[in-house]
Amino acid sequence: MYAIPPGSTVAVIGSGAMGAGIAQVAATAGHQVLLFDTRLDAADKAILEIGKTYAKLVAKGRMGAVESDLARERLKRIASLRETAGADLVIEAIVEDLDAKRALFAELEGIVGRHCILATNTSSISVTAIGAPLRHPERLVGMHFFNPVPLMALVEVVEGLATSGDVANLVHDLAERWGKSPVRAKSTPGFIVNRVARPYYAEALRLLLEQAADVATLDAVMRDCGGFRMGPFELMDLIGHDVNFSVTKSVFAAFYNDPRFTPSILQQELVSAGFLGRKTGRGFYRYDDAAATPAPHTEAASQTPPALRHAGGLGAVDAIVERLRGAGFDPVAIEAAPGLYCDGAAIYLTDGRSATERAEADGHRDTVLFDLLLDPAGAARIALARADQCGDGAWQAAVGLFQAAGFAVTRLDDVPGMAVMRTLAMLANEAADAVNQGVCSARAVDIAMQKGVNYPRGPLAWADAVGLRHVVAVLANLAAAYGEDRYRVSPLLRRKLAANPQGARFHAR
């Protein structure tokens, strides 16, 4: 019978950043930890570094001295896999290679007791495939931690086709006891995070390819308007383009070349050049001592328009109207499409069409669009796009209006869906598909994206706030603009909208 009681023995195979982090968390939680690496000096060094980490935590008052000493004493380097014989749980954190993982678990299966649970920390390889050669694949489960393990709360508990539900339950409960935020997922390409996160990079790369703005400006828009901790380009530079591009290619191939996951030729060029990001000193940005941090584009000061009219009914518009009231405007309500109207300019939240296309469809040449804001009341920046037909006077009036409300105004070229809106729509679409295909629950995907990659809001909760009707319209308009299956709407989004056209949601209010 499987069990992982408090104080039981946990073996960790691999002492790199992930393995050492897992060992630290397990020891802190009260387990006897056996750390193995084919390089004995590497395991010794890992334990030494964990001890230094404990000392720093004590110095900062975040860990007691006695607690630190006891945790350090629970860490033991072992010289042979044979010494894992009495373990209740073995967690593998070795190289991302299917054959290597299969060989390791086949050897472990001949050593550990029948009660022992086997876990793989793989980030992308099928748990089903890893366990297929085992005599008892039901005891193999994915336990995907995120780096740095002691700080990142998320653990994806991944079930292969043969994984026992009892095993998955035990590992889920164990992760909770370790202070983590575990989520359940089926073994499908990318699991939750590495699948759902792809549009954050993919849409940014496409925006850059289409010259919507430079990298510094697009990063600033995603941070200042979208609330993301890091912009996509600085994040890719941090991850490393070799790693990020490899994951994208892996997911693309695993989904049989689904265009939704198509890799970018821009990133391919960076990898080919050896410009891998921070670790090589150059990626989208330069990181040498002489390199200056590029500033995002911000529009020059413009004159404040004398009057404002508005048509409500859309949350984003209503929130901006309230901010403009606070800036001294006394907007007059009118009957029109939800938006802001000043000095001839008609200003709307992007719906996935370009401003130029909307201007032509509406018969209003002076059309300006604004991008999605996570927090309209507190955002420091707003992104605008003008129709090609829009006159300079109307454009300047729109810029002056938002500047008067305290926004730094950034102009994006007139690409469909702008930046934050199209990214959120695609993130929500991919999350919806993951739920629709039984990979995880709506709650799990939102927890995973917030706890695993620090998104400001779960993509499905964010889509609820924007309105599923608007998100579906954005995706449909992107599909029409590009003529690509990449932007096809998830069947689950369409189903929810059909069932409740006015109030469709993923989460209860």
Side-chain angles (χ1 to χ4, degrees):
M1 183 175 180
Y2 302 111
I4 318 174
S8 57
T9 298
V10 174
V12 180
I13 313 301
S15 63
M18 297 302 294
I22 295 167
Q24 177 184 326
V25 169
T28 303
H31 294 273
Q32 301 299 316
V33 178
L34 309 176
L35 185 59
F36 175 79
D37 199 296
T38 54
R39 303 162 299 145
L40 297 183
D41 60 328
D44 287 330
K45 181 180 178 182
I47 291 175
L48 179 64
E49 291 302 316
I50 293 171
K52 291 179 180 178
T53 298
Y54 284 150
K56 290 178 182 177
L57 293 172
V58 171
K60 293 178 180 179
R62 293 163 56 187
M63 192 176 195
V66 174
E67 180 188 2
S68 168
D69 290 342
L70 291 174
R72 172 62 185 80
E73 290 172 7
R74 288 191 284 267
L75 289 161
K76 177 186 177 183
R77 187 265 287 165
I78 57 175
S80 167
L81 286 177
R82 289 280 166 194
E83 296 180 68
T84 66
D88 296 287
L89 171 66
V90 180
I91 304 175
E92 164 274 312
I94 66 171
V95 64
E96 279 288 273
D97 180 83
L98 175 60
D99 291 337
K101 292 181 188 294
R102 280 179 164 177
L104 172 64
F105 283 116
E107 187 173 356
L108 285 168
E109 196 172 36
I111 296 171
V112 299
R114 182 66 187 86
H115 71 283
C116 181
I117 293 173
L118 304 177
T120 172
N121 182 55
T122 181
S123 61
S124 60
I125 300 174
S126 165
V127 174
T128 299
I130 294 172
L134 297 179
R135 295 191 304 276
H136 298 287
E138 68 276 3
R139 64 169 162 174
L140 178 71
V141 65
M143 200 175 185
H144 180 211
F145 293 83
F146 288 74
N147 195 29
V149 176
L151 299 180
M152 298 300 288
L154 185 67
V155 178
E156 291 180 323
V157 178
V158 185
E159 298 177 56
L161 281 179
T163 302
S164 161
D166 289 341
V167 166
N169 289 336
L170 283 168
V171 168
H172 181 279
D173 293 347
L174 176 71
E176 283 190 328
R177 295 207 307 269
W178 287 4
K180 299 299 184 181
S181 298
V183 294
R184 298 281 285 269
K186 298 295 184 184
S187 182
T188 52
F191 309 144
I192 303 174
V193 172
N194 278 331
R195 171 184 179 168
V196 176
R198 299 322 327 145
Y200 189 63
Y201 314 112
E203 293 309 306
L205 289 162
R206 174 161 280 200
L207 287 166
L208 184 62
L209 184 66
E210 296 180 4
Q211 304 179 78
D214 58 70
V215 294
T217 298
L218 289 169
D219 274 346
V221 168
M222 297 305 293
R223 289 193 311 267
D224 300 345
C225 304
F228 290 92
R229 187 169 296 183
M230 295 183 73
F233 300 103
E234 56 188 346
L235 181 55
M236 284 184 277
D237 273 5
L238 178 64
I239 294 168
H241 292 286
D242 51 341
V243 174
N244 188 262
F245 188 60
S246 176
V247 172
T248 299
K249 289 197 299 180
S250 174
V251 173
F252 180 58
F255 277 103
Y256 302 103
N257 297 356
D258 186 328
R260 191 172 284 173
F261 305 105
T262 303
S264 168
I265 58 173
L266 290 180
Q267 195 167 42
Q268 172 69 82
E269 284 289 279
L270 287 176
V271 173
S272 297
F275 298 161
L276 305 183
R278 286 183 176 272
K279 60 188 173 185
T280 61
R282 182 175 177 182
F284 284 112
Y285 297 93
R286 290 181 178 270
Y287 298 94
D288 55 84
D289 293 338
T293 302
H297 170 76
T298 302
E299 289 290 295
S302 186
Q303 186 172 350
T304 302
L308 171 66
R309 297 176 299 153
H310 75 100
L314 194 62
V317 172
D318 295 342
I320 289 175
V321 167
E322 288 308 306
R323 179 160 168 169
L324 289 166
R325 289 185 197 278
F329 282 89
D330 184 19
V332 176
I334 61 172
E335 291 292 327
L340 308 170
Y341 301 86
C342 65
D343 278 13
I347 307 166
Y348 309 113
L349 174 67
T350 177
D351 65 359
R353 292 177 289 177
S354 66
T356 301
E357 182 182 358
R358 179 154 187 178
E360 191 276 331
D362 292 351
H364 192 108
R365 64 188 302 273
D366 292 327
T367 294
V368 175
L369 302 181
F370 67 91
D371 204 353
L372 181 65
L373 296 168
L374 175 70
D375 176 20
R381 183 181 301 276
I382 193 165
L384 305 181
R386 63 186 286 185
D388 292 347
Q389 309 94 311
C390 181
D392 290 341
W395 166 250
Q396 292 300 326
V399 170
L401 178 72
F402 287 104
Q403 288 174 339
F407 289 103
V409 176
T410 288
R411 179 182 174 182
L412 299 180
D413 194 37
D414 188 24
V415 293
M418 303 190 72
V420 182
M421 181 63 85
R422 71 190 278 170
T423 300
L424 178 273
M426 286 295 280
L427 289 170
N429 202 41
E430 198 56 51
D433 253 7
V435 174
N436 193 50
Q437 294 164 11
V439 176
C440 59
S441 68
R443 179 177 179 273
V445 74
D446 276 354
I447 291 172
M449 302 315 291
Q450 288 186 281
K451 301 291 187 179
V453 279
N454 293 313
Y455 282 8
R457 200 168 190 173
L460 296 180
W462 200 352
D464 282 349
V466 172
L468 297 192
R469 176 175 291 281
H470 195 85
V471 170
V472 168
V474 169
L475 291 166
N477 285 328
L478 286 168
Y482 287 103
E484 296 179 35
D485 194 46
R486 172 191 183 106
Y487 297 104
R488 67 186 184 273
V489 179
S490 169
L492 184 56
L493 282 174
R494 292 196 182 279
R495 178 178 173 181
K496 283 190 169 291
L497 201 57
N500 187 357
Q502 301 306 319
R505 297 178 63 84
F506 278 94
H507 303 286
R509 293 185 185 277

